[in-house]
């Protein structure tokens, strides 16, 4: 189910704060590409959506199958 979404407008250099300890800063806007900087405690996992979904699929496979070869997530990593 979808949760309600808060929609904010930010300019380059501006930030939002989540739960008092996570800061998301707009570093640069280049056409339709937005560069974000995320400051979060080390114990808070931060992933791009496609990486998170792959992790979830791999976790589900690991629970249902034995001897599954998991793909290397480094292939999904993209340099910023």
């Amino acid at each position: 189910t979808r949760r309600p979404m808060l929609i904010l407008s930010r300019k380059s250099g501006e930030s939002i704060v989540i739960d008092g300890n996570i800061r998301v800063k707009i570093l640069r806007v280049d056409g339709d590409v937005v560069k974000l900087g995320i400051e979060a405690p080390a114990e808070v996992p931060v992933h791009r959506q496609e990486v998170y979904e792959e992790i979830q699929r791999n976790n589900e496979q690991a629970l249902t199958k034995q001897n599954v070869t998991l793909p290397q997530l480094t292939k999904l990593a993209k340099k910023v």
Side-chain angles (χ1 to χ4, degrees):
T1 62
R2 291 190 151 217
R3 297 180 183 165
M5 181 182 295
L6 173 64
I7 300 172
L8 302 171
S9 296
R10 299 277 74 201
K11 294 179 182 176
S12 185
E14 295 180 334
S15 301
I16 63 167
V17 176
I18 301 169
D19 198 29
N21 64 348
I22 300 169
R23 186 171 80 129
V24 180
K25 183 174 184 178
I26 307 304
L27 299 177
R28 183 172 63 224
V29 179
D30 207 7
D32 64 347
V33 176
V34 178
K35 299 287 184 174
L36 300 173
I38 302 169
E39 293 177 5
E43 64 272 10
V44 175
V46 177
H47 302 287
R48 293 188 338 258
Q49 181 72 37
E50 62 274 18
V51 172
Y52 176 78
E53 290 170 357
E54 183 68 21
I55 290 169
Q56 295 304 306
R57 278 192 297 274
N58 289 336
N59 287 344
E60 288 176 19
Q61 287 179 354
L63 290 174
T64 58
K65 297 180 182 178
Q66 293 182 3
N67 300 326
V68 174
T69 303
L70 300 177
Q72 293 182 359
L73 290 177
T74 55
K75 292 179 183 177
L76 293 175
K78 185 177 183 181
K79 292 184 180 181
V80 175

